[in-house]
Amino acid sequence: MEPTIHPGPRDTSVLTLQTEHRSEDVWGGGMDRLLTCREHVLGLGEWVIHDRVLEFVRLAGFYGVHRLVGGGLALDRSLITALIERWRQETHTFHLAVGEATITLQDVAVLLGLRVHGAPVTGDGTGVWSALVEELLGIRPEPGDDGKPVLQGSSLRMTWLRRHFSQGPPDDAADIVYERFSRAYILALMGSILFADKSGDAVQLVYLPLIRDLRRAGTYSWGSATLAYLYRQMCRAARRRSRDIGGPLILLQLWSWEHIHIGRPRISRVRDAPPPDPEHPIEVDDPSILGTQHQRGVDPLACSWLRVHFSCGHTASGLSFFRDALDHQKETQMTWQPYSETVLGLLPEICRCDRDIWRSVVPLICFDIVEYHYPNRVMRQFGLEQSVPVACDTSVDLHYVDRRHKNKKFEEMHRKYVEE
């Protein structure tokens, strides 16, 4: 009799949703399709950004995200699909051969330069959207030449934004005009990179009231909202028969390149090479410590990966490579702490200012999305010893709450977490 191979988990006390996880289909041989990645960073390269607009973008806290535009960073669908197969909604971590790992508030701050502490990104999510667009962008959204509606509910078509704002304001414009163009560009960053949805051509206007005052916009915790959105997208993509994924996928990919030595590009950065002698550390003045594309003291760490060359995995064979490599991953293929004090010291203040909450166990909020942050399960990423993690609850109920699916019970749960 041939032995029966049990794919696991044998103990379902932690991974309670296994029957709904896409790994069930992988084991059965019926899941070789790559996820369709709904992110559109490359489409922003046509925008002309005036210096005054860039000042407002920086003031609002989105300069690090802006720097990714035009940087030639393509998504590796095979890598992303293989990682999602190891993502677990029950713990909000990747279950790797070397242990659990996850994207934390630290990664968001260091890689993207977004604030991870501040007022929550939330609101009532209602309004007269056409009037709001006219007030804050200066143009009332009208149907395009194709006859399709520009505005559907709170969803504004990105093509409309590009048509009216991508060429930038005139040099002699008033401040109010520069502010309008700045809001439009920030909305484009949100719809293309941070909060990309599955439509591929829409941005939610619920964020627009929060950038009414561009100075106050910089006080919101956009980083935690971005992480909440990514967690939700990964949890949904990890379900059986899911075919696409949205959200800040460039954050997921860059996190993997920083931590996992499988399929990442080879770039010339001094910090990636071990020093020849522990008594002779890396020289901070070496111009290539973070790569030639990184502007020291200005750019977040993601910019050290700009214009790298690698072979994007868009085939089933690429997925097979990552599956096999991650199945046999060794400890030497994992960097638990890629952000040394030397590296952090070369980044702008926004990448370091909230480090006292990087290890906080907290709910992450992005309007109707509430996802839990459990860094206590990945203490090795903070240079600490990992003990047996305590039981955690990512709330199955909360995972079914979004702007399309609400009821009174879930609204009360959401309100409780926002108030806390």
Side-chain angles (χ1 to χ4, degrees), residues 186-402:
I186 292 172
L187 278 179
L189 292 175
M190 291 177 176
S192 299
I193 302 177
L194 299 181
F195 309 119
D197 63 17
K198 296 179 181 180
S199 71
D201 184 36
V203 60
Q204 290 296 318
L205 290 175
V206 294
Y207 306 109
L208 186 54
L210 303 184
I211 56 175
R212 176 192 300 271
D213 184 337
L214 291 167
R215 293 164 182 81
R216 186 180 179 186
T219 67
Y220 287 98
S221 182
W222 295 106
S224 62
T226 297
L227 190 56
Y229 199 89
L230 179 58
Y231 276 10
R232 176 61 59 88
Q233 290 291 321
M234 292 195 295
C235 288
R236 287 184 171 174
R239 296 173 186 168
R240 301 181 71 171
R241 291 176 288 278
S242 293
R243 296 189 175 186
D244 49 19
I245 183 173
L249 298 179
I250 199 66
L251 171 60
L252 169 59
Q253 182 163 302
L254 292 176
W255 174 87
S256 178
W257 285 356
E258 288 286 347
H259 290 82
I260 302 174
H261 306 187
I262 295 174
R264 69 176 182 176
R266 295 181 178 179
I267 60 177
S268 178
R269 298 186 304 184
V270 172
R271 76 181 182 96
D272 293 323
D277 188 324
E279 296 182 0
H280 296 83
I282 295 173
E283 292 293 334
V284 176
D285 291 334
D286 192 314
S288 63
I289 185 171
L290 292 182
T292 58
Q293 299 298 320
H294 186 273
Q295 302 176 59
R296 184 176 302 183
V298 176
D299 291 340
L301 190 58
C303 295
S304 67
W305 293 98
L306 294 181
R307 293 182 174 82
V308 298
H309 299 284
F310 71 102
S311 178
C312 295
H314 296 322
T315 64
S317 61
L319 177 57
S320 296
F321 162 77
F322 279 109
R323 282 176 175 172
D324 183 67
L326 289 173
D327 282 344
H328 297 88
Q329 183 184 8
K330 300 177 181 178
E331 191 67 40
T332 55
Q333 294 176 301
M334 187 76 181
T335 299
W336 293 103
Q337 287 183 276
Y339 318 130
S340 67
E341 289 300 323
T342 298
V343 168
L344 293 176
L346 299 175
L347 303 180
E349 177 64 21
I350 195 171
C351 295
R352 298 175 277 115
C353 63
D354 298 325
R355 62 189 303 168
D356 57 326
I357 68 161
W358 285 350
R359 291 194 285 120
S360 298
V361 177
V362 291
L364 307 170
I365 297 170
C366 181
F367 279 88
D368 302 279
I369 296 172
V370 178
E371 298 283 349
Y372 280 95
H373 181 245
Y374 285 118
N376 56 328
R377 301 188 69 90
V378 294
M379 298 304 285
R380 285 183 289 179
Q381 290 181 216
F382 300 95
L384 301 173
E385 183 178 344
Q386 180 65 58
S387 58
V388 177
V390 298
C392 63
D393 180 12
T394 60
S395 182
V396 173
D397 287 342
L398 282 176
H399 279 82
Y400 287 96
V401 180
D402 58 24

Side-chain angles (χ1 to χ4, degrees), residues 130-144:
S130 58
L132 183 67
V133 171
E134 184 175 21
E135 175 193 354
L136 297 183
L137 300 186
I139 306 175
R140 195 173 189 86
E142 302 290 347

Side-chain angles (χ1 to χ4, degrees), residues 59-70:
L59 192 64
F62 294 96
Y63 178 78
V65 181
H66 155 75
R67 281 285 288 132
L68 297 179
V69 176

Side-chain angles (χ1 to χ4, degrees), residues 30-260:
M31 183 61 76
D32 288 327
R33 180 194 298 269
L34 296 178
L35 287 168
T36 299
C37 298
R38 305 293 186 182
E39 189 179 55
H40 317 284
V41 61
L42 299 180
L44 288 172
E46 65 190 58
W47 285 65
V48 178
I49 307 302
H50 193 281
D51 288 344
R52 289 285 288 128
V53 170
L54 192 56
E55 288 179 17
F56 283 117
V57 171
R58 189 192 303 272
L59 192 64
F62 294 96
Y63 178 78
V65 181
H66 155 75
R67 281 285 288 132
L68 297 179
V69 176
L73 284 173
L75 294 177
D76 190 330
R77 291 174 58 200
S78 294
L79 169 62
I80 289 172
T81 302
L83 287 172
I84 295 303
E85 291 173 354
R86 286 157 176 78
W87 176 259
R88 301 301 306 217
Q89 175 181 316
E90 302 95 326
T91 60
H92 283 167
T93 58
F94 299 100
H95 286 235
L96 305 172
V98 295
E100 291 183 47
T102 197
I103 306 168
T104 69
L105 291 172
Q106 178 192 45
D107 299 298
V108 181
V110 172
L111 288 170
L112 299 185
L114 290 172
R115 281 205 66 183
V116 295
H117 186 45
V121 176
T122 190
D124 60 17
T126 62
V128 181
W129 301 115
S130 58
L132 183 67
V133 171
E134 184 175 21
E135 175 193 354
L136 297 183
L137 300 186
I139 306 175
R140 195 173 189 86
E142 302 290 347
D145 297 335
D146 56 6
K148 295 182 179 179
V150 170
L151 191 60
Q152 290 185 300
S154 61
S155 296
L156 179 68
R157 291 179 64 185
M158 296 281 289
T159 49
W160 182 86
L161 276 179
R162 284 194 293 270
R163 183 166 66 250
H164 290 283
F165 296 97
S166 64
Q167 296 308 304
D171 291 335
D172 57 350
D175 275 355
I176 190 174
V177 175
Y178 290 124
E179 290 186 16
R180 289 169 177 168
F181 275 79
S182 302
R183 295 189 191 101
Y185 181 58
I186 292 172
L187 278 179
L189 292 175
M190 291 177 176
S192 299
I193 302 177
L194 299 181
F195 309 119
D197 63 17
K198 296 179 181 180
S199 71
D201 184 36
V203 60
Q204 290 296 318
L205 290 175
V206 294
Y207 306 109
L208 186 54
L210 303 184
I211 56 175
R212 176 192 300 271
D213 184 337
L214 291 167
R215 293 164 182 81
R216 186 180 179 186
T219 67
Y220 287 98
S221 182
W222 295 106
S224 62
T226 297
L227 190 56
Y229 199 89
L230 179 58
Y231 276 10
R232 176 61 59 88
Q233 290 291 321
M234 292 195 295
C235 288
R236 287 184 171 174
R239 296 173 186 168
R240 301 181 71 171
R241 291 176 288 278
S242 293
R243 296 189 175 186
D244 49 19
I245 183 173
L249 298 179
I250 199 66
L251 171 60
L252 169 59
Q253 182 163 302
L254 292 176
W255 174 87
S256 178
W257 285 356
E258 288 286 347
H259 290 82
I260 302 174

Side-chain angles (χ1 to χ4, degrees), residues 122-126 365 367-370 395 397-420:
T122 190
D124 60 17
T126 62
I365 297 170
F367 279 88
D368 302 279
I369 296 172
V370 178
S395 182
D397 287 342
L398 282 176
H399 279 82
Y400 287 96
V401 180
D402 58 24
R403 303 196 71 244
R404 296 173 300 172
H405 305 97
K406 293 184 181 180
N407 61 37
K408 290 184 178 180
K409 172 188 173 184
F410 292 154
E411 287 180 347
E412 290 174 0
M413 293 173 62
H414 177 270
R415 186 162 47 250
K416 181 188 75 171
Y417 291 116
V418 170
E419 289 173 352
E420 290 178 352

